[in-house]
Amino acid sequence: MPLICLVRHGQASFGAHDYDVLSDLGREQARAVGRELARRELRDPHIISGSLTRQRDTARLLADAAGFTEPLCEDPRWNEFDHVAVLRRYPDPGLPRTAADSRAVQDVLDRALRSWMEDTDETATGWAAFSNNAATALTELSATLGKGRDAVVVTSGGVLAGLCGTLLSIPPAGLIALNRVTVNASITTLVSGASGTNLLTFNDHAHFTGEQQHLRTYR
C-alpha cells in the first residue's frame, strides 16, 4: 500500500520582514528530515509541495539530502492558511505590540483560529473550504500513486491539523491543539489502501532527538 509522508516545512523566519523564508535552522531541519526519509527507503517517491517559499525550499533541501531525483511538483492546495488575514478578521485586544514574543502571538492566533473554525457564515474563505481543499488534494494524490509508489508532501501545520481532523473527526479544540504542537520538519504518515486513506503516525520527530534535539522547534 502506498505511504504518504506529510512533512511540515522547516522553521520560517518569525519576526523577520519576510516570514516566508526558511531560517538557517529551518534549512538544517529540512536536510535532517531528508536524511530520515532516505533511511526509510520509500518506493520511487513522488515529491510535491505547496507553492509557499518555505514549503518549496524545504522540499528541495530534503530531496537533495535524501537523493530523490524526481522533479518537484507544486500544488497550492497544500498551502497554509493566511494567518494575517485570520487575525485581521477576528481581532484580539491581547495581540502583542511586537512579534518578538512568539508564544503570546500563538495564544492570540489560537483564539482567532477557533473563531474561524466555528464561523458558519464563512464560505469560500472559511475553515471548511480550506480543510476540504486539502482533503481533495490528498484524495487525488492517493488515486495517482498506485501500489508500488510512495509520496512525500511538504506542507504546513494548519493543513496537517485539518487533514487529521477530517480523518479522525476531531472537533475544533482538538485541531488547535494539534496545530500548536506540530514540530517543524516532522513527518505525519498516512497509508492509502482499499479502505481509504488512514493515519499511521502524527508529528513523528524522532530524527530530532538525542544529539539532534537542538533541531526541534515548534514555531
Side-chain angles (χ1 to χ4, degrees):
M1 293 186 291
L3 293 178
I4 301 174
C5 296
L6 305 178
V7 177
R8 187 189 180 194
H9 61 76
Q11 184 188 62
S13 298
F14 183 85
H17 174 69
D18 186 357
Y19 172 77
D20 192 24
V21 174
L22 291 180
S23 67
D24 290 341
L25 182 61
R27 297 176 68 83
E28 191 175 352
Q29 291 168 335
R31 288 187 283 266
V33 75
R35 293 190 292 270
E36 170 61 19
L37 291 169
R39 186 191 67 80
R40 298 187 182 195
E41 298 183 348
L42 302 177
R43 300 167 302 169
D44 187 25
H46 177 54
I47 315 299
I48 189 169
S49 80
S51 61
L52 300 176
T53 299
R54 60 189 184 273
Q55 297 171 335
R56 296 198 313 264
D57 288 352
T58 298
R60 293 190 181 103
L61 287 166
L62 76 79
D64 287 346
F68 299 150
T69 58
E70 180 185 286
L72 171 65
C73 296
E74 292 181 19
D75 185 340
R77 292 177 298 180
W78 294 103
N79 287 1
E80 182 64 294
F81 60 85
D82 185 343
H83 70 282
V84 174
V86 171
L87 288 169
R88 186 181 299 120
R89 180 164 179 79
Y90 306 98
D92 189 313
L95 183 65
R97 292 185 178 274
T98 70
D101 187 346
S102 63
R103 291 191 178 185
V105 171
Q106 186 66 55
D107 289 341
V108 173
L109 179 59
D110 287 350
R111 292 193 288 273
L113 270 176
R114 180 152 193 165
S115 296
W116 185 40
M117 290 175 180
E118 295 177 344
D119 188 350
T120 57
D121 291 333
E122 284 278 13
T123 54
T125 58
W127 170 260
F130 169 77
S131 57
N132 288 341
N133 214 25
T136 299
L138 175 62
T139 298
E140 292 179 6
L141 174 61
S142 299
T144 64
L145 289 177
K147 293 183 179 180
R149 194 174 197 199
D150 299 321
V152 176
V153 181
V154 179
T155 183
S156 297
V159 175
L160 294 171
L163 289 175
C164 288
T166 298
L167 293 171
L168 302 178
S169 301
I170 300 173
L175 297 180
I176 292 169
L178 292 180
N179 186 59
R180 192 179 184 96
V181 302
T182 306
V183 171
N184 292 120
S186 61
I187 304 170
T188 292
T189 304
L190 312 177
V191 62
S192 178
S195 62
T197 301
N198 295 283
L199 178 66
L200 286 183
T201 65
F202 168 72
N203 199 31
D204 179 3
H205 55 280
H207 45 294
F208 297 146
T209 56
E211 294 181 354
Q212 298 298 309
Q213 62 182 323
H214 67 284
L215 294 177
R216 186 173 65 246
T217 62
Y218 301 87
R219 302 175 188 84

